[in-house]
Every structure is written in C-alpha cells, then in structure tokens.
Amino acid sequence: EMNRAFPCSGFGPNHIRLTHLGQGLTCAPAEVTVEACANDDCSALFSDPVEVAFSSPANNWVPNPVTFTGQTDVQLNVTQPNTVTLGAGASPSAQNPTRCFSGGMETCELTFLDSGFVVDVPDHVSGSLVSASIAAVRKDDESERCVPGFSDETKEVSLWSQYSNPSSGTLLVSVDGTALSTSPPGSTRGLEFDSVGVADFELRYPDVGRL
C-alpha cells in the first residue's frame, strides 16, 4: 500500500498579534491592526485565511469576527473613559496565546479618554517630506461626537515617536526640520491650530517601518 501524506487539519498561526496606540478616544473608534503571525517575532505572516473573534471588550469590535489573510485593521468603540484589555481567538486555533503591542511595548491594555490628539500621517516613501496633521478633539456631551478641543490658537505641543514594527531602530523622525525625541516628555513644538482645531506640520522619516 502506498504511503499518503495528509495535510494536518486545523494547523493555525503561531499567534495572533494586536497592535494598538495605547490610547483611544471615547468619541471615535480606535484602529487596531490584527496580524496572523507565522513565527514568534511576526517577521512572517501566516499564508492561509484565519477567522479572528474578539472576546474582550465584548461587543465593541467592528467587524467581529473578521476573516483575513496575513493582516487587517479593525475598529474598537469604547464610549466611556476606561482602560480595556484586548482579547481575541483564532480559527484555526493559534499555537500560542494572543499578543498585543503598543509603541514597541507588549501590552493588551488600551485606555480611552474624553479628549486628546488625533495624529494623521499618510503612508509615504522613506525619506520624503510629507504633510501631516494633528487635531485637538474632545467628546461633546450632547452628541458624544468628537468636536474641536480648542481653535484659532498656537499651542506648545510635546511630540515624540516610538518604533512599532520593527520594534527598535536608530533613525529619528523630524517635524518641521527638527528631529523628535524618542520618549516622553518629547520635543516641544509651537503648532498653530485652525478654526476646527487642526494643525499641519511637515514630517520626514529616513527609514522604513511603522511608528
């Protein structure tokens, strides 16, 4: 009789990885990147489709469950100030527990606040100058939507950058031509916020990766 090899049924990814910003706003969904990792450091992604169901915080994820290959982004809505612990499971089952990262630090805790900054930096080519923005927002008590935190003001804002993927490196982000600190309390910049609470700045990053 011939020896026949059968695929191992239910062989899943090494682990599911959730990457988040560490802080979110109660007036807007937080974006969480979900990866199906093929190895411990997630330098390779699992090549087959995976369904991930989010167990914590319950009923706050869109979409839930989500089916994807490799990597996808989902949204998490938390409308009251709170610190939540992210949890998820995969089908086929992952070989190891779910891991979460924020700014190079391993943590599944995500804190939601009623006010803060929303930084928008478009994806761009390494070394190029890109126009980015920062919005000061707070939750409106009536509508629970995000409204400007302040407007038509120049504010001293402390900025810093941290590596996310890869988790470490040596090259610095510069804003308006000056390099930023890589840890709090950061580098202070005078930013002009317009009538809707948004300030623009020029950003350059000489390396590739996620920050």
Side-chain angles (χ1 to χ4, degrees):
E1 164 181 343
M2 283 171 45
N3 287 327
R4 288 190 292 171
F6 293 96
C8 174
S9 62
F11 180 73
N14 177 284
H15 68 282
I16 298 300
R17 182 169 293 213
L18 308 178
T19 303
H20 59 96
L21 291 174
Q23 288 191 335
L25 290 164
T26 56
C27 56
E31 188 170 271
V32 177
T33 298
V34 189
E35 292 170 293
C37 302
N39 54 2
D40 281 344
D41 67 358
C42 210
S43 58
L45 295 175
F46 192 63
S47 57
D48 293 332
V50 173
E51 182 183 87
V52 170
F54 302 96
S55 54
S56 173
N59 309 320
N60 297 65
W61 300 82
V62 179
N64 187 17
V66 62
T67 300
F68 64 97
T69 301
Q71 176 182 322
T72 191
D73 292 326
V74 295
Q75 294 189 322
L76 173 60
N77 293 286
V78 174
T79 57
Q80 295 299 320
N82 195 11
T83 296
V84 298
T85 302
L86 310 184
S91 177
S93 294
Q95 301 160 47
N96 297 292
T98 296
R99 299 177 70 183
C100 319
F101 288 85
S102 175
M105 187 172 73
E106 186 157 1
T107 176
C108 286
E109 290 197 344
L110 174 51
T111 300
F112 284 83
L113 304 168
D114 277 342
S115 64
F117 291 113
V118 177
V119 180
D120 183 26
V121 180
D123 289 345
H124 61 283
V125 174
S126 164
S128 62
L129 198 61
V130 65
S131 184
S133 68
I134 180 169
V137 299
R138 64 176 176 82
K139 183 169 77 171
D140 179 73
D141 292 335
E142 301 274 314
S143 67
E144 297 198 334
R145 299 278 177 87
C146 293
V147 295
F150 38 77
S151 55
D152 294 322
E153 284 185 72
T154 297
K155 291 278 192 182
E156 294 290 310
V157 179
S158 296
L159 302 170
W160 64 91
S161 70
Q162 291 175 316
Y163 281 87
S164 174
N165 185 9
S167 58
S168 63
T170 57
L171 298 177
L172 299 177
V173 174
S174 64
V175 164
D176 294 336
T178 308
L180 289 188
S181 167
T182 56
S183 61
S187 308
T188 304
R189 297 281 179 279
L191 297 178
E192 294 179 26
F193 289 87
D194 64 15
S195 59
V196 291
V198 177
D200 295 317
F201 56 90
E202 298 288 310
L203 181 141
R204 191 189 300 271
Y205 178 53
D207 208 347
V208 295
R210 188 174 187 132
L211 293 163

